[in-house]
Amino acid sequence: MTKFKTAAIAMSRAFRTTSQARTKATLKEPYLPSQSKGVIPDSAGYDKVVKLQKQWAVDDGTMVWQKKGMADQLPYLASLVGSAFGVGLCFYQIFRMSFPKKSA
């Protein structure tokens, strides 16, 4: 047996044991998370991610970069200012190359 076949068999066995909740599901029936028996992490970081996802999912007319207030707006505005500065430097260099200084 080749290394590839043994790795594929090991992966399929691992997948079968870790995804027991989805084995009987088909495309005809909906997947209901409330009926699944999977493991849900209970760390503080996971709770923070879930909270942020719920906050971003609310349809209140604002964009994602506006949802957390100034904590999201400052980096966005800083990137806009940096981009405008870079475009300005490009035009300045083009102007300098178009009209070189006269040699003495």
Side-chain angles (χ1 to χ4, degrees):
M1 204 177 276
T2 65
K3 289 181 182 179
F4 177 73
K5 285 184 182 178
T6 55
I9 291 171
M11 284 176 43
S12 67
R13 286 181 186 156
F15 181 73
R16 270 189 269 141
T17 58
T18 57
S19 63
Q20 296 282 330
R22 267 308 262 176
T23 56
K24 297 179 183 176
T26 65
L27 293 176
K28 293 180 182 176
E29 61 187 41
Y31 174 64
L32 303 172
S34 61
Q35 295 177 356
S36 70
K37 295 176 176 66
V39 177
I40 298 174
D42 60 350
S43 65
Y46 180 77
D47 294 337
K48 184 177 178 181
V49 169
V50 170
K51 180 183 167 194
L52 285 174
Q53 287 176 341
K54 287 179 183 177
Q55 182 181 2
W56 290 332
V58 174
D59 188 18
D60 56 357
T62 59
M63 296 182 194
V64 172
W65 57 269
Q66 297 171 331
K67 298 269 184 180
K68 287 176 52 181
M70 289 306 278
D72 283 336
Q73 289 178 0
L74 281 177
Y76 175 73
L77 293 174
S79 65
L80 285 180
V81 169
S83 297
F85 182 73
V87 168
L89 277 176
C90 287
F91 283 124
Y92 173 71
Q93 289 297 332
I94 290 172
F95 180 78
R96 274 190 41 200
M97 289 187 289
S98 299
F99 302 104
K101 294 180 181 180
K102 305 271 185 197
S103 299

